[in-house]
Amino acid sequence: MTVPNLRHLQAFNEVMATGSISAASLRMHLTQSAVTQAIAAIERYFGAALFTRSPYGMRPTPAGTVCAERVERALTQLRDGIQELGGSDVSAGKREQLFRRISGPQLSSLIKLVEFRNFTHAAKATGVSQPTMHRAARTLERTLDATLFEKTSYGVVPTREAEKLSRRAHLAFVEISQARADIDALDGRDSGRTVIGSMPLSRSFLVPNALIRFTREYSEHAVSIMEGTYEHLLGALQSGQADFLIGALRDIRVSGGIVQEHLFDDPLSIVVGAGHPLAKKRKLTATDLASHPWIAPRATSPLKAHFEALFKDMGIEPPQRFIECNSLGAARAFLMGGDHMMLSSTNQVHYELQAGMLVCLPHPAGKVMRKIGLTVRDDWRPTQAQARLLAIVRETADQLAH
């Protein structure tokens, strides 16, 4: 997506607030013709008429109305980012001066530099020359009078301040992208994109089944599934690189600005290969647990606590040697090729059970559950298509619960 001119967005915002080209020009210290040209450019950018002109002023069209909230949220993100850089020392007036001096391409360069942490790689990914990337980044740094990059033994890398501003800029650009999708939806067109941060359970069953339904209704809406550790996915969510996460719920107190929604309780069982010596056993003993190698969840996974409790409740110590793995693909190979055992969600190995590749044995402690749900930013506003996708995810999860 191309980056809009920030001054044009501000002009649109001022015309929305005042209902007048002349009033907006006074507030922005621009000529009326400059504001008129800015509105025309923004309408071309979004591909829709955003105002109707009349002797009584500028009235927003339906497209202008849906666009207005997104633009306001985008500009607020950028202003908040500038405020964070300067702290309480930056007055509202100074913040506006700085805001009017930065550009979309500069912020785009910053986002790529924070993502790749390398000028050469960021330039290649953006399709510009390294000098151009370097010039945009340094100009932004001088404009804001902030240290956004520092020299280290690994080269020039972005600072924490750069990372904070990059996050704000990315969230702002996401709002603009969603504004375009909202406008297209008014004309009955599918557009937009959703990135789902998908943890192990959701990757194997919940998300694929929900997306099969969703793509029948919204064939033109792009969906990307992002994989990784919870920490990686949470960072992507907070920066706007992911729209929502699906998987095991965590302690919400450790992450500000995050809302979790419980979808269903997921039963846990002991998973083994179909040819495992214990595959036909219905009640596992402490000796059974201690006699075979294990595949253990990562230390930071909520499943790790269940894994340790499994052995503690049986009166034995957890195994000290195990294969730590959160990848079902890798775990499947160990389970089918040897005598390994794994504590897992029954739903996570749904298709392997159907194919007769794996077997689920009852948990020795009986009915043991973990909570599965959605995680979103508390200020996220989904588009029409995204709201429908969430509804289908909830419906699919409800089927799993029953």
Side-chain angles (χ1 to χ4, degrees), residues 105-106 109-110 112-113 116-139 149 151 154-157:
Q106 289 172 350
S109 295
L110 178 67
K112 286 299 180 183
L113 286 167
F116 289 95
R117 307 188 71 81
N118 179 282
F119 276 86
T120 302
H121 296 161
K124 287 182 179 179
T126 311
V128 301
S129 67
Q130 185 174 338
T132 299
M133 175 71 69
H134 192 276
R135 185 165 52 252
R138 291 305 186 187
T139 300
F149 305 93
K151 290 184 178 180
Y154 301 100
V156 179
V157 298

Side-chain angles (χ1 to χ4, degrees), residues 278 281 283-292 294 341:
L278 301 177
K281 195 162 186 180
K283 187 173 180 61
L284 297 174
T285 66
T287 301
D288 293 330
L289 298 185
S291 300
H292 297 276
W294 280 84
M341 304 174 74

Side-chain angles (χ1 to χ4, degrees), residues 192-308:
R193 177 173 179 259
T194 298
V195 180
I196 304 173
S198 182
M199 288 171 268
L201 165 67
S202 56
R203 286 200 297 267
S204 58
F205 187 78
L206 177 56
V207 168
N209 279 270
L211 288 181
I212 288 171
R213 285 187 56 192
F214 175 75
T215 52
R216 289 174 184 153
E217 297 182 27
Y218 290 85
S219 59
E220 299 301 317
H221 187 91
V223 179
S224 176
I225 299 176
M226 179 184 290
E227 300 183 5
T229 64
Y230 174 76
E231 295 77 15
H232 168 73
L233 295 178
L234 180 63
L237 178 70
Q238 292 174 318
S239 67
Q241 293 173 318
D243 295 295
F244 60 87
L245 311 184
I246 304 181
L249 299 180
R250 266 68 172 181
D251 185 351
I252 195 171
R253 292 172 299 177
V254 302
S255 302
I258 295 299
V259 175
Q260 296 188 135
E261 175 188 340
H262 175 250
L263 292 177
F264 65 96
D265 291 324
D266 184 39
L268 298 178
S269 58
I270 311 301
V271 181
V272 298
H276 195 280
L278 301 177
K280 299 185 182 301
K281 195 162 186 180
R282 294 295 93 192
K283 187 173 180 61
L284 297 174
T285 66
T287 301
D288 293 330
L289 298 185
S291 300
H292 297 276
W294 280 84
I295 299 171
R298 291 176 63 250
T300 56
S301 166
L303 193 59
K304 189 59 179 289
H306 288 288
F307 178 77
E308 293 174 347

Side-chain angles (χ1 to χ4, degrees), residues 13-24:
N13 199 46
E14 293 292 352
V15 173
M16 281 294 303
T18 63
S20 165
I21 292 285
S22 59

